[in-house]
Amino acid sequence: MSAARSYYQEGGFETVIGLEVHCQLATASKLFCGCSAAFGAGANEHTCPVCLAMPGVLPVLNRCAVDYAIRAALATDSTINTNSRWARKNYFYPDLPKAYQITQYEQPYCEHGRVTFDLDGTEHTVRLTRIHMEEDAGKSVHDAHASWSLVDLNRAGVPLLEIVSEPELRSGAEASAYMRKMRSLVRYLGISDGNMNEGSMRCDANVSLRKRGATTLGTRAEIKNLNSFRSIERAIAYEIERQAEILLGGGAIVQETRLWDADRGVTRSMRSKEEAHDYRYFPEPDLLPLVIDDAWIERARSELPELPDARRGRFVTSYGLSGYDSGVLTASKELADWFEAAVAAHDNPKALANWITSEVLRIANESGAEGETDFSQLPFAPEHLAALVRLIDDGTISGKIAKTVFSKMVESGDDPAAIVAREGLVQVTDEGAITAIVDSVVAANTAKVAEYKSGKDKLFGFFVGQVMKESQGKANPASVNRLLKERLDG
Amino acid sequence: MSRLDELSIEEASRRLASREISSRELTEACLARIEVTEPKVGSFLEVTAQLARQQADDADRRLAATGTRTSDTTALTGIPIALKDIFLTKDVRTTCASRILENFIPTFDATVVARLRRAGAVLLGKLNMDEFAMGSSCENSAMQLTRNPWKLDRVPGGSSGGSATCVAAHQALGSFGTDTGGSIRLPAAFCGVAGIKPTYGRVSRYGVIAFASSLDQVGPMASTTRGAALLLQTVAGKDPLDSTSIDAPVPDYAGAIGTAPTVKGLRIGIPREYFVEGLDADVEAAVRAAIGKLQDLGATIVEVTLPHTEYAVATYYIVATAEASSNLGRYDGVRYGRRRGEEQGLRDMYGESREQGFGAEVKRRIMLGTYVLSAGYYDAYYSKAMRVRTLIRRDFEQAFERCDVIATPTAPATAFEIGSRTDDPLKMYLSDILTISVNLAGLPGMSIPCGLDSAGLPIGLQLIGKPLDELTLLRTAAAYEDSCHWHRVSAELKP
């Protein structure tokens, strides 16, 4: 595939990607019945006659799901349609108990939105074709039994948003960054946990290539089963190369649905356009058209939390942080909340921001799953970090000692003051004690002192290092500097 | 009238309230009548005798407390009724007359059933019907044949055939059916009983096995209009479990009809499209006579037009089959219902379960409905049918600017011979030609007996009302009934 790769890298092709993001809404109950929508119960425990599709049952809309959907529409500057309709998408599969999925087809509740995201310091905007609500299917388990497939309908009827972008993404990295922003948004909005490894958020990518400068779209392949940021990037990279190879060989891309096989790192054909299901969509007669009036929208707007872009701006103005640091801190609601909890405990936002963007994020990334920054697994609380910075600010410990204390805090989860006391790490500010060390260092290094006095200023750092070493790092660096200067220059 | 099973609901209710009779006596009379007549008519798929006796005894205890502070009786307390086998009844087998559900025992009651239980009605059993309510003669039942009590070689009409025969044969005082294209009114007409299909959304569909969701509606049958009114007011009204049920107050229909209902000043519309070639002469004569009687009673007759009537049958068979093809997808052998269990893989399981589980007419409609929804055909069929449906609804709106009630024959002819139309689906579909538009427009309609033809078979008068105006229909029907004797003529269960 090297020819294809080089042609692509030389910019011969332009990649065109549109994403369909499926996002489970974190409502207490399912979209059309009262069953719990929670993840993780025993098989088929969250079911009732309605989501089991017993004869004679009827759906009743969960209005909380609509509240959540409206929030998503508002956060993406979408146009909300006052009237939208439910439709049936018909197909047979054992984990689809009614043999149809209730979704929105011709009249979705919202259209024409947009999402901005940051990639390597550049801001991108992608337009959204539409967002619609639908119910999830259940889960089929094919490998648990030799001759039977098992069906778990706990997920059947859980509310989903399908967020469809215009084909305006140009690389796997852009697609992945867009997806990260989308996840950040739904978490900010409190409408989804956005956990990709539990399937709460997943996407399909429509990928096509065209000659750079072309205005029409190439034939696309739809890649299914992208359930991690890494999958998105890898699958798209693979698909670009596959398509470029075909096109450069004079072939034509077949419009088809392809499945990402993460184990083998390839996409493979699932079904062609000819084999595509005929879903026989038609308006759902068991539900009235959905009417979202202005009052409903305004109520949702008033309940809207601060969104990432606004929060980033506020971090710059009220905490005096850089745009970059603010962006990092507000990329996830959890992180921004963590930061603000720390600031509430100790008012030194800049120092806290530095600690978080360097040390805390490193720890959080190590403990979370792939691509997930998991703050719930941190062994210490924001108040602990605040206490640590306070110890530096009031001169109890030095910045250097603070690193040691931080490591011990990560290991033990103990309060930093307790660690300092236990380990005897309190900074030595007693000038008499420091002077004694200075004297002993000067006395033990007469040759170096002579060199220094003859003009080798750089040796000053050596003396500081020796004093700090003697004090086991506990001497107050400012005092050490001053006393050494007095002693050597005096 | 001496036999208890021949009492009207309102008369039985009066005697129960005054303690002249007990519900247990009334129920035993019905059970005895069922035992004698069932071999001839075949109304019941299941007789729930034990449950009925228990409910009757409960009702008698409630009735004994009448006048005390714990009194909670209704007009239906202690009244024995029966239900089309399309209503889910907790712990009582519910088959929809289909092999695919032949062993299905529901875990909950339909809203209608729950309301009847709460009111104290006594459930005698489950009634035969066309499989999944698809049919006009009851001959599409996968379980058994039901015969017309007036002439046993005739069909009872369908799909709610058992619901009509059990009332006509005095096996039950009243019954419930469903009406998607005429399935209450046609058998009511063929069997000489009163039957009403309320406004779409008037009665909850929750727990009623779906045929065509935008057309299905639950309604009662009884020997008298007042009896049907008591049944209707017990089950009507908003149900939070059915999003399409209408949130509007339910009148005390029986009370509002009163003892001396009048049609003075009522404008009755006669649509010319319903009196055309092919209408049986006896039927036309009887219906015109009934209209004449209403005029004598003080109503004004106006001619109206419903110009899109000729498209109703075609429209109906697109909309109804499309919805049915989707509604019946759940009978796949996975969670309940018939499954052979020796199948090779998924496709085979679907194929075998549905091939063996569904009858010919159901399969025909699933195929038709699947076709009209298919890519490339949707616009030509389903989408166009929905537009025609709007025109049909508009026809009625315009007609109702000139009248309060529309009167027509319920069916073009009286009950036909068993087996005479089973080989000709199109001819069978035309049995519903006069009832189908009412469903497409979502309006209330009813059928009451208005005469007998030369063969001694009942003729039905159809009354059609404005949305939610069941009361005017019932009042008109009651006024007519009070002036004639047709509802008192009984079927003789003869060949």
Side-chain angles (χ1 to χ4, degrees), chain A residues 49 52-60 88 90 92-94 97 99-100 148 278 281-283 285-286 288, chain B residues 88 104 108 205-208 213 240 242-244 326-327 329-331 335-336 339 346 350 373-375 378:
Chain A
L52 289 172
M54 298 302 258
V57 297
L58 295 169
V60 177
R88 290 188 185 177
N90 297 283
F92 283 92
Y93 205 67
Y100 58 84
W148 297 94
D278 180 353
Y281 286 98
F282 73 103
D286 286 333
L288 301 177
Chain B
L88 264 58
F104 180 68
F108 63 99
R205 293 183 294 116
Y206 189 79
V208 182
S213 312
D242 177 359
S243 310
T244 63
S326 174
N327 282 334
R330 70 188 59 193
Y331 308 107
R335 299 168 312 290
Y336 53 80
R339 173 157 159 190
L346 187 60
Y350 286 149
L373 288 175
S374 299
Y378 181 86

Short mmCIF file of all heavy atoms in Angstrom, two decimals, chain A residues 49 52-60 88 90 92-94 97 99-100 148 278 281-283 285-286 288, chain B residues 88 104 108 205-208 213 240 242-244 326-327 329-331 335-336 339 346 350 373-375 378:
data_model
loop_
_atom_site.label_atom_id
_atom_site.label_comp_id
_atom_site.label_asym_id
_atom_site.label_seq_id
_atom_site.Cartn_x
_atom_site.Cartn_y
_atom_site.Cartn_z
N PRO A 49 -43.38 -5.88 30.25
CA PRO A 49 -44.13 -6.26 29.03
C PRO A 49 -43.87 -5.32 27.85
O PRO A 49 -43.81 -5.77 26.71
CB PRO A 49 -45.58 -6.20 29.49
CG PRO A 49 -45.53 -6.55 30.94
CD PRO A 49 -44.25 -5.92 31.45
N LEU A 52 -40.36 -5.89 26.42
CA LEU A 52 -40.29 -7.27 25.92
C LEU A 52 -41.17 -7.44 24.69
O LEU A 52 -41.19 -8.51 24.09
CB LEU A 52 -40.75 -8.26 26.99
CG LEU A 52 -39.82 -8.48 28.18
CD1 LEU A 52 -40.52 -9.34 29.23
CD2 LEU A 52 -38.53 -9.14 27.75
N ALA A 53 -41.92 -6.39 24.35
CA ALA A 53 -42.84 -6.44 23.20
C ALA A 53 -43.84 -7.58 23.33
O ALA A 53 -44.06 -8.36 22.40
CB ALA A 53 -42.08 -6.55 21.88
N MET A 54 -44.48 -7.66 24.51
CA MET A 54 -45.58 -8.59 24.64
C MET A 54 -46.71 -8.09 23.73
O MET A 54 -46.77 -6.92 23.39
CB MET A 54 -46.07 -8.64 26.09
CG MET A 54 -45.03 -9.14 27.08
SD MET A 54 -44.40 -10.77 26.70
CE MET A 54 -45.29 -11.74 27.87
N PRO A 55 -47.63 -8.97 23.35
CA PRO A 55 -48.75 -8.51 22.52
C PRO A 55 -49.54 -7.41 23.25
O PRO A 55 -49.68 -7.46 24.47
CB PRO A 55 -49.61 -9.77 22.37
CG PRO A 55 -48.71 -10.92 22.67
CD PRO A 55 -47.72 -10.41 23.66
N GLY A 56 -50.02 -6.44 22.49
CA GLY A 56 -50.93 -5.45 23.05
C GLY A 56 -50.31 -4.29 23.80
O GLY A 56 -51.02 -3.38 24.23
N VAL A 57 -49.00 -4.28 23.97
CA VAL A 57 -48.40 -3.18 24.73
C VAL A 57 -48.20 -1.95 23.86
O VAL A 57 -48.16 -2.05 22.64
CB VAL A 57 -47.07 -3.58 25.39
CG1 VAL A 57 -47.29 -4.70 26.39
CG2 VAL A 57 -46.04 -3.98 24.33
N LEU A 58 -48.09 -0.79 24.50
CA LEU A 58 -47.96 0.47 23.77
C LEU A 58 -46.85 1.31 24.41
O LEU A 58 -46.62 1.24 25.61
CB LEU A 58 -49.27 1.26 23.83
CG LEU A 58 -50.48 0.62 23.14
CD1 LEU A 58 -51.76 1.36 23.51
CD2 LEU A 58 -50.28 0.60 21.63
N PRO A 59 -46.17 2.13 23.61
CA PRO A 59 -45.10 2.98 24.14
C PRO A 59 -45.66 4.27 24.75
O PRO A 59 -46.66 4.80 24.27
CB PRO A 59 -44.29 3.31 22.89
CG PRO A 59 -45.30 3.29 21.77
CD PRO A 59 -46.33 2.26 22.15
N VAL A 60 -45.03 4.72 25.84
CA VAL A 60 -45.36 6.05 26.39
C VAL A 60 -44.05 6.81 26.51
O VAL A 60 -43.09 6.34 27.12
CB VAL A 60 -46.03 5.92 27.77
CG1 VAL A 60 -46.30 7.30 28.37
CG2 VAL A 60 -47.35 5.15 27.67
N ARG A 88 -41.28 4.11 12.65
CA ARG A 88 -40.85 2.74 12.90
C ARG A 88 -39.83 2.33 11.83
O ARG A 88 -40.06 2.56 10.65
CB ARG A 88 -42.03 1.77 12.81
CG ARG A 88 -43.01 1.91 13.95
CD ARG A 88 -44.03 0.80 13.87
NE ARG A 88 -45.06 0.94 14.87
CZ ARG A 88 -46.10 0.11 14.96
NH1 ARG A 88 -46.22 -0.90 14.10
NH2 ARG A 88 -47.01 0.29 15.89
N ASN A 90 -38.29 -0.99 10.54
CA ASN A 90 -38.62 -2.40 10.66
C ASN A 90 -37.49 -3.32 10.23
O ASN A 90 -36.97 -3.18 9.12
CB ASN A 90 -39.83 -2.72 9.78
CG ASN A 90 -41.09 -1.98 10.22
OD1 ASN A 90 -41.73 -2.35 11.19
ND2 ASN A 90 -41.43 -0.91 9.51
N PHE A 92 -35.93 -7.61 11.30
CA PHE A 92 -35.99 -8.75 12.22
C PHE A 92 -34.62 -9.01 12.83
O PHE A 92 -33.64 -9.16 12.11
CB PHE A 92 -36.44 -10.02 11.47
CG PHE A 92 -37.92 -10.04 11.19
CD1 PHE A 92 -38.43 -9.55 10.00
CD2 PHE A 92 -38.81 -10.56 12.12
CE1 PHE A 92 -39.80 -9.57 9.74
CE2 PHE A 92 -40.16 -10.59 11.88
CZ PHE A 92 -40.66 -10.09 10.69
N TYR A 93 -34.56 -9.05 14.13
CA TYR A 93 -33.39 -9.55 14.82
C TYR A 93 -33.80 -9.90 16.24
O TYR A 93 -34.63 -9.21 16.83
CB TYR A 93 -32.23 -8.53 14.81
CG TYR A 93 -30.89 -9.23 14.95
CD1 TYR A 93 -30.43 -10.05 13.93
CD2 TYR A 93 -30.14 -9.13 16.12
CE1 TYR A 93 -29.25 -10.76 14.07
CE2 TYR A 93 -28.96 -9.83 16.26
CZ TYR A 93 -28.51 -10.65 15.23
OH TYR A 93 -27.35 -11.35 15.37
N PRO A 94 -33.24 -10.97 16.80
CA PRO A 94 -33.75 -11.41 18.11
C PRO A 94 -33.59 -10.38 19.22
O PRO A 94 -34.36 -10.40 20.19
CB PRO A 94 -32.90 -12.65 18.41
CG PRO A 94 -32.53 -13.18 17.07
CD PRO A 94 -32.33 -11.95 16.21
N PRO A 97 -37.03 -6.70 20.01
CA PRO A 97 -38.23 -7.51 20.32
C PRO A 97 -39.47 -7.14 19.52
O PRO A 97 -40.26 -8.02 19.20
CB PRO A 97 -38.44 -7.28 21.82
CG PRO A 97 -37.44 -6.28 22.26
CD PRO A 97 -36.44 -6.07 21.19
N ALA A 99 -39.52 -6.14 16.53
CA ALA A 99 -39.17 -6.22 15.11
C ALA A 99 -39.24 -4.84 14.45
O ALA A 99 -39.31 -4.74 13.23
CB ALA A 99 -40.01 -7.25 14.35
N TYR A 100 -39.30 -3.82 15.25
CA TYR A 100 -39.08 -2.46 14.73
C TYR A 100 -38.49 -1.62 15.86
O TYR A 100 -38.71 -1.90 17.04
CB TYR A 100 -40.34 -1.82 14.17
CG TYR A 100 -41.52 -1.70 15.12
CD1 TYR A 100 -41.63 -0.64 16.01
CD2 TYR A 100 -42.54 -2.65 15.11
CE1 TYR A 100 -42.73 -0.53 16.87
CE2 TYR A 100 -43.63 -2.55 15.96
CZ TYR A 100 -43.71 -1.49 16.84
OH TYR A 100 -44.78 -1.39 17.68
N TRP A 148 -26.73 -22.18 21.04
CA TRP A 148 -27.76 -21.16 21.18
C TRP A 148 -27.13 -19.77 21.21
O TRP A 148 -26.01 -19.60 21.67
CB TRP A 148 -28.52 -21.32 22.52
CG TRP A 148 -29.26 -22.61 22.62
CD1 TRP A 148 -28.84 -23.77 23.18
CD2 TRP A 148 -30.58 -22.86 22.16
NE1 TRP A 148 -29.80 -24.73 23.08
CE2 TRP A 148 -30.89 -24.21 22.47
CE3 TRP A 148 -31.54 -22.08 21.51
CZ2 TRP A 148 -32.12 -24.79 22.13
CZ3 TRP A 148 -32.77 -22.67 21.19
CH2 TRP A 148 -33.04 -24.01 21.49
N ASP A 278 -34.11 -3.07 3.73
CA ASP A 278 -35.18 -2.12 3.43
C ASP A 278 -35.97 -1.98 4.72
O ASP A 278 -36.72 -2.88 5.11
CB ASP A 278 -36.05 -2.68 2.29
CG ASP A 278 -37.17 -1.71 1.94
OD1 ASP A 278 -37.34 -0.71 2.65
OD2 ASP A 278 -37.87 -1.97 0.94
N TYR A 281 -39.60 2.25 6.69
CA TYR A 281 -39.97 3.29 7.64
C TYR A 281 -41.40 3.77 7.40
O TYR A 281 -41.82 3.91 6.26
CB TYR A 281 -39.07 4.52 7.44
CG TYR A 281 -37.66 4.38 7.93
CD1 TYR A 281 -36.62 4.05 7.07
CD2 TYR A 281 -37.35 4.63 9.27
CE1 TYR A 281 -35.31 3.96 7.51
CE2 TYR A 281 -36.04 4.54 9.72
CZ TYR A 281 -35.03 4.21 8.85
OH TYR A 281 -33.75 4.12 9.30
N PHE A 282 -42.13 4.00 8.46
CA PHE A 282 -43.41 4.71 8.33
C PHE A 282 -43.72 5.34 9.68
O PHE A 282 -43.15 4.94 10.70
CB PHE A 282 -44.52 3.79 7.82
CG PHE A 282 -45.04 2.78 8.81
CD1 PHE A 282 -46.26 2.98 9.45
CD2 PHE A 282 -44.32 1.63 9.09
CE1 PHE A 282 -46.75 2.04 10.36
CE2 PHE A 282 -44.81 0.69 10.01
CZ PHE A 282 -46.02 0.89 10.64
N PRO A 283 -44.59 6.35 9.69
CA PRO A 283 -44.87 7.06 10.94
C PRO A 283 -45.42 6.11 12.01
O PRO A 283 -46.27 5.28 11.72
CB PRO A 283 -45.92 8.09 10.55
CG PRO A 283 -45.78 8.25 9.08
CD PRO A 283 -45.34 6.91 8.55
N PRO A 285 -47.74 4.84 14.54
CA PRO A 285 -49.13 5.20 14.86
C PRO A 285 -49.45 5.15 16.35
O PRO A 285 -50.49 5.67 16.76
CB PRO A 285 -49.95 4.17 14.08
CG PRO A 285 -49.04 3.01 13.86
CD PRO A 285 -47.64 3.53 13.85
N ASP A 286 -48.58 4.55 17.15
CA ASP A 286 -48.88 4.42 18.58
C ASP A 286 -48.48 5.66 19.39
O ASP A 286 -48.75 5.72 20.59
CB ASP A 286 -48.18 3.19 19.17
CG ASP A 286 -48.86 1.89 18.74
OD1 ASP A 286 -50.08 1.94 18.47
OD2 ASP A 286 -48.18 0.86 18.67
N LEU A 288 -48.25 10.06 19.48
CA LEU A 288 -48.65 11.32 18.86
C LEU A 288 -47.39 12.03 18.38
O LEU A 288 -46.29 11.78 18.88
CB LEU A 288 -49.37 12.19 19.88
CG LEU A 288 -50.64 11.57 20.49
CD1 LEU A 288 -51.22 12.51 21.55
CD2 LEU A 288 -51.68 11.29 19.42
N LEU B 88 -56.03 -8.83 26.38
CA LEU B 88 -55.17 -9.56 27.29
C LEU B 88 -55.87 -9.70 28.64
O LEU B 88 -56.33 -8.71 29.22
CB LEU B 88 -53.82 -8.85 27.46
CG LEU B 88 -52.71 -9.40 26.55
CD1 LEU B 88 -53.09 -9.31 25.09
CD2 LEU B 88 -51.40 -8.70 26.80
N PHE B 104 -50.58 -18.80 24.72
CA PHE B 104 -50.11 -17.57 25.35
C PHE B 104 -50.99 -17.19 26.54
O PHE B 104 -52.19 -16.99 26.41
CB PHE B 104 -50.09 -16.43 24.32
CG PHE B 104 -49.61 -15.14 24.91
CD1 PHE B 104 -48.29 -14.99 25.32
CD2 PHE B 104 -50.48 -14.07 25.08
CE1 PHE B 104 -47.84 -13.81 25.87
CE2 PHE B 104 -50.04 -12.88 25.63
CZ PHE B 104 -48.72 -12.75 26.03
N PHE B 108 -50.67 -9.75 32.42
CA PHE B 108 -51.39 -8.55 32.88
C PHE B 108 -52.70 -8.39 32.12
O PHE B 108 -52.90 -9.04 31.09
CB PHE B 108 -50.52 -7.29 32.70
CG PHE B 108 -50.19 -6.98 31.25
CD1 PHE B 108 -50.92 -6.03 30.56
CD2 PHE B 108 -49.16 -7.64 30.60
CE1 PHE B 108 -50.63 -5.74 29.23
CE2 PHE B 108 -48.86 -7.36 29.27
CZ PHE B 108 -49.60 -6.40 28.59
N ARG B 205 -56.31 1.29 24.03
CA ARG B 205 -55.91 0.10 23.29
C ARG B 205 -54.85 -0.69 24.05
O ARG B 205 -54.35 -1.69 23.55
CB ARG B 205 -55.35 0.49 21.91
CG ARG B 205 -56.38 1.09 20.97
CD ARG B 205 -55.79 1.38 19.59
NE ARG B 205 -54.78 2.42 19.63
CZ ARG B 205 -53.50 2.23 19.33
NH1 ARG B 205 -53.05 1.03 18.97
NH2 ARG B 205 -52.65 3.24 19.39
N TYR B 206 -54.47 -0.24 25.25
CA TYR B 206 -53.40 -0.94 25.96
C TYR B 206 -53.85 -2.35 26.35
O TYR B 206 -54.91 -2.53 26.97
CB TYR B 206 -52.98 -0.17 27.22
CG TYR B 206 -51.73 -0.78 27.85
CD1 TYR B 206 -50.48 -0.53 27.32
CD2 TYR B 206 -51.82 -1.66 28.92
CE1 TYR B 206 -49.35 -1.12 27.85
CE2 TYR B 206 -50.70 -2.26 29.47
CZ TYR B 206 -49.46 -1.98 28.92
OH TYR B 206 -48.34 -2.57 29.44
N GLY B 207 -53.07 -3.32 25.94
CA GLY B 207 -53.42 -4.71 26.22
C GLY B 207 -54.39 -5.31 25.23
O GLY B 207 -54.90 -6.40 25.44
N VAL B 208 -54.64 -4.59 24.16
CA VAL B 208 -55.47 -5.11 23.07
C VAL B 208 -54.50 -5.46 21.94
O VAL B 208 -53.75 -4.60 21.49
CB VAL B 208 -56.48 -4.05 22.58
CG1 VAL B 208 -57.36 -4.63 21.48
CG2 VAL B 208 -57.32 -3.53 23.74
N SER B 213 -52.82 -0.14 14.17
CA SER B 213 -52.85 0.75 15.33
C SER B 213 -53.61 2.06 15.12
O SER B 213 -54.19 2.59 16.07
CB SER B 213 -51.42 1.07 15.76
OG SER B 213 -50.66 -0.11 15.83
N PRO B 240 -53.26 6.58 30.76
CA PRO B 240 -51.86 7.02 30.61
C PRO B 240 -50.98 6.00 29.88
O PRO B 240 -49.92 6.35 29.39
CB PRO B 240 -51.38 7.19 32.06
CG PRO B 240 -52.43 6.61 32.93
CD PRO B 240 -53.70 6.55 32.15
N ASP B 242 -51.86 4.51 27.10
CA ASP B 242 -52.11 4.61 25.66
C ASP B 242 -52.02 6.08 25.26
O ASP B 242 -52.93 6.87 25.53
CB ASP B 242 -53.49 4.03 25.31
CG ASP B 242 -53.83 4.19 23.82
OD1 ASP B 242 -53.02 4.77 23.06
OD2 ASP B 242 -54.93 3.74 23.42
N SER B 243 -50.92 6.43 24.61
CA SER B 243 -50.67 7.84 24.25
C SER B 243 -51.70 8.38 23.27
O SER B 243 -51.87 9.58 23.15
CB SER B 243 -49.28 7.98 23.61
OG SER B 243 -48.32 7.36 24.41
N THR B 244 -52.37 7.48 22.54
CA THR B 244 -53.36 7.95 21.57
C THR B 244 -54.76 8.03 22.18
O THR B 244 -55.70 8.41 21.50
CB THR B 244 -53.41 7.03 20.33
OG1 THR B 244 -53.84 5.72 20.72
CG2 THR B 244 -52.04 6.92 19.66
N SER B 326 -46.04 -4.55 10.31
CA SER B 326 -45.10 -4.13 11.34
C SER B 326 -45.52 -4.66 12.72
O SER B 326 -44.71 -5.20 13.47
CB SER B 326 -45.03 -2.59 11.34
OG SER B 326 -44.24 -2.13 12.39
N ASN B 327 -46.81 -4.54 13.03
CA ASN B 327 -47.30 -4.99 14.35
C ASN B 327 -47.09 -6.49 14.57
O ASN B 327 -46.93 -6.93 15.71
CB ASN B 327 -48.79 -4.69 14.49
CG ASN B 327 -49.05 -3.23 14.80
OD1 ASN B 327 -48.20 -2.55 15.37
ND2 ASN B 327 -50.21 -2.72 14.40
N GLY B 329 -44.65 -8.30 13.45
CA GLY B 329 -43.25 -8.71 13.40
C GLY B 329 -42.79 -9.35 14.70
O GLY B 329 -41.87 -10.16 14.71
N ARG B 330 -43.43 -8.97 15.81
CA ARG B 330 -42.98 -9.47 17.12
C ARG B 330 -43.26 -10.96 17.32
O ARG B 330 -42.71 -11.56 18.23
CB ARG B 330 -43.62 -8.65 18.24
CG ARG B 330 -45.12 -8.88 18.40
CD ARG B 330 -45.72 -7.89 19.39
NE ARG B 330 -45.48 -6.52 18.93
CZ ARG B 330 -45.66 -5.45 19.68
NH1 ARG B 330 -46.04 -5.58 20.93
NH2 ARG B 330 -45.45 -4.25 19.20
N TYR B 331 -44.13 -11.52 16.49
CA TYR B 331 -44.40 -12.97 16.62
C TYR B 331 -43.34 -13.71 15.83
O TYR B 331 -43.54 -14.11 14.69
CB TYR B 331 -45.83 -13.27 16.15
CG TYR B 331 -46.82 -12.38 16.84
CD1 TYR B 331 -47.44 -11.33 16.18
CD2 TYR B 331 -47.06 -12.53 18.21
CE1 TYR B 331 -48.30 -10.46 16.84
CE2 TYR B 331 -47.92 -11.67 18.88
CZ TYR B 331 -48.53 -10.63 18.20
OH TYR B 331 -49.36 -9.76 18.85
N ARG B 335 -39.44 -14.97 21.98
CA ARG B 335 -39.75 -14.77 23.40
C ARG B 335 -40.99 -15.51 23.87
O ARG B 335 -41.11 -15.86 25.04
CB ARG B 335 -39.90 -13.27 23.69
CG ARG B 335 -38.67 -12.47 23.41
CD ARG B 335 -38.91 -10.97 23.44
NE ARG B 335 -40.06 -10.55 22.66
CZ ARG B 335 -40.15 -10.57 21.34
NH1 ARG B 335 -39.14 -10.99 20.62
NH2 ARG B 335 -41.24 -10.18 20.72
N TYR B 336 -41.96 -15.68 23.01
CA TYR B 336 -43.21 -16.37 23.37
C TYR B 336 -43.86 -16.81 22.07
O TYR B 336 -43.43 -16.42 20.99
CB TYR B 336 -44.16 -15.44 24.16
CG TYR B 336 -44.42 -14.13 23.46
CD1 TYR B 336 -45.35 -14.04 22.43
CD2 TYR B 336 -43.70 -12.98 23.80
CE1 TYR B 336 -45.56 -12.84 21.77
CE2 TYR B 336 -43.92 -11.78 23.15
CZ TYR B 336 -44.85 -11.72 22.14
OH TYR B 336 -45.05 -10.54 21.49
N ARG B 339 -43.05 -22.00 18.41
CA ARG B 339 -41.70 -22.20 17.88
C ARG B 339 -41.47 -23.69 17.80
O ARG B 339 -41.63 -24.40 18.78
CB ARG B 339 -40.69 -21.55 18.82
CG ARG B 339 -39.25 -21.84 18.47
CD ARG B 339 -38.41 -20.73 19.08
NE ARG B 339 -37.03 -21.11 19.25
CZ ARG B 339 -36.17 -20.36 19.94
NH1 ARG B 339 -36.56 -19.24 20.52
NH2 ARG B 339 -34.92 -20.73 20.05
N LEU B 346 -31.24 -18.91 12.51
CA LEU B 346 -32.17 -17.81 12.76
C LEU B 346 -33.27 -17.70 11.69
O LEU B 346 -34.45 -17.65 11.99
CB LEU B 346 -31.37 -16.51 12.85
CG LEU B 346 -32.13 -15.27 13.27
CD1 LEU B 346 -32.75 -15.46 14.64
CD2 LEU B 346 -31.19 -14.07 13.27
N TYR B 350 -37.35 -18.10 12.20
CA TYR B 350 -38.38 -17.13 11.80
C TYR B 350 -39.35 -17.76 10.81
O TYR B 350 -40.57 -17.67 10.95
CB TYR B 350 -37.73 -15.90 11.13
CG TYR B 350 -37.00 -14.96 12.06
CD1 TYR B 350 -35.90 -14.24 11.61
CD2 TYR B 350 -37.44 -14.75 13.36
CE1 TYR B 350 -35.23 -13.35 12.44
CE2 TYR B 350 -36.77 -13.86 14.20
CZ TYR B 350 -35.66 -13.16 13.73
OH TYR B 350 -35.02 -12.28 14.54
N LEU B 373 -44.97 -0.78 1.90
CA LEU B 373 -44.01 0.05 2.65
C LEU B 373 -42.60 -0.02 2.05
O LEU B 373 -41.69 0.68 2.50
CB LEU B 373 -43.95 -0.38 4.11
CG LEU B 373 -45.15 -0.05 4.99
CD1 LEU B 373 -44.97 -0.65 6.38
CD2 LEU B 373 -45.35 1.46 5.10
N SER B 374 -42.42 -0.88 1.04
CA SER B 374 -41.07 -1.10 0.53
C SER B 374 -40.51 0.12 -0.18
O SER B 374 -41.26 0.92 -0.75
CB SER B 374 -41.07 -2.27 -0.46
OG SER B 374 -41.49 -3.43 0.20
N ALA B 375 -39.18 0.19 -0.16
CA ALA B 375 -38.50 1.30 -0.84
C ALA B 375 -38.93 1.30 -2.30
O ALA B 375 -38.96 0.27 -2.95
CB ALA B 375 -36.99 1.11 -0.73
N TYR B 378 -43.35 3.06 -1.43
CA TYR B 378 -43.94 3.80 -0.31
C TYR B 378 -44.77 5.00 -0.79
O TYR B 378 -45.91 5.19 -0.37
CB TYR B 378 -42.83 4.26 0.63
CG TYR B 378 -43.30 5.01 1.84
CD1 TYR B 378 -43.68 4.32 3.00
CD2 TYR B 378 -43.39 6.40 1.84
CE1 TYR B 378 -44.12 5.00 4.11
CE2 TYR B 378 -43.83 7.09 2.96
CZ TYR B 378 -44.19 6.39 4.09
OH TYR B 378 -44.63 7.06 5.20
#
